[in-house]
Amino acid sequence: MKALVRKRARITRVRAAQHLLAASAAASAEAQVDQLETNAAKLASLRDSLTLPVGPVSGAALQNRGELALRLDNARHGLSGAIASAKATAEQKVAERLEARQRQESAAKLDARAVQALTEWTEARMAASFRPKLAKTNEGDN
């Protein structure tokens, strides 16, 4: 009985560690999505800041700004695939975290039941060992 309780406790600890690892992986994947989205927003902001000054502008300056704008647009559009992939990975990691949490809760319930069963078993054994002995009656006194 005690071995079962120890086994269930070990399983509960393992499942708790698995949940922590899954939660960490999910948080990391979500942080990756946030970072990629922030980078895309910075590229868009940088692209939008390439306005021309008022007044005469040389053709070389126009060409340089146009080329830079094109490169920034290409980089931003290139991030869209990485962002979509990172979001899919993050969703998968969140699902894995939820699954690990359910397994952890299930193991904790089994552990609690095993502890309760051990407690009841121990109490029953203790009660059995302290049964009152029947008093012997003297038959000659009647």
Side-chain angles (χ1 to χ4, degrees), residues 41-120:
K42 286 180 181 178
L43 287 172
S45 174
L46 190 57
R47 164 65 171 94
D48 292 340
S49 70
L50 291 175
T51 56
L52 292 173
V54 178
V57 179
S58 71
L62 275 175
Q63 182 180 3
N64 287 340
R65 286 184 189 246
E67 185 177 336
L68 184 57
L70 182 64
R71 288 182 182 190
L72 290 171
D73 284 339
N74 287 339
R76 188 168 44 103
H77 292 303
L79 280 178
S80 63
I83 290 171
S85 175
K87 282 183 180 181
T89 301
E91 289 173 6
Q92 178 186 1
K93 296 295 182 186
V94 167
E96 289 173 3
R97 183 190 61 81
L98 291 175
E99 209 174 289
R101 179 67 178 172
Q102 289 171 347
R103 286 192 309 266
Q104 177 190 11
E105 289 172 355
S106 176
K109 287 178 186 176
L110 287 175
D111 185 33
R113 278 193 229 139
V115 168
Q116 180 64 31
L118 178 63
T119 302
E120 291 171 1

Side-chain angles (χ1 to χ4, degrees), residues 5-38:
V5 172
R6 284 194 299 270
K7 181 180 178 182
R8 296 271 168 90
R10 187 179 73 243
I11 290 170
T12 301
R13 287 190 305 271
V14 168
R15 296 285 165 87
Q18 288 173 338
H19 176 257
L20 288 175
L21 287 172
S24 174
S28 176
E30 289 173 350
Q32 179 70 22
V33 170
D34 290 342
Q35 182 182 15
L36 288 171
E37 288 177 339
T38 300

Side-chain angles (χ1 to χ4, degrees), residues 113-133:
R113 278 193 229 139
V115 168
Q116 180 64 31
L118 178 63
T119 302
E120 291 171 1
W121 179 76
T122 304
E123 288 174 0
R125 287 204 57 197
M126 294 294 289
S129 66
F130 291 115
R131 286 187 188 147
K133 295 183 179 183

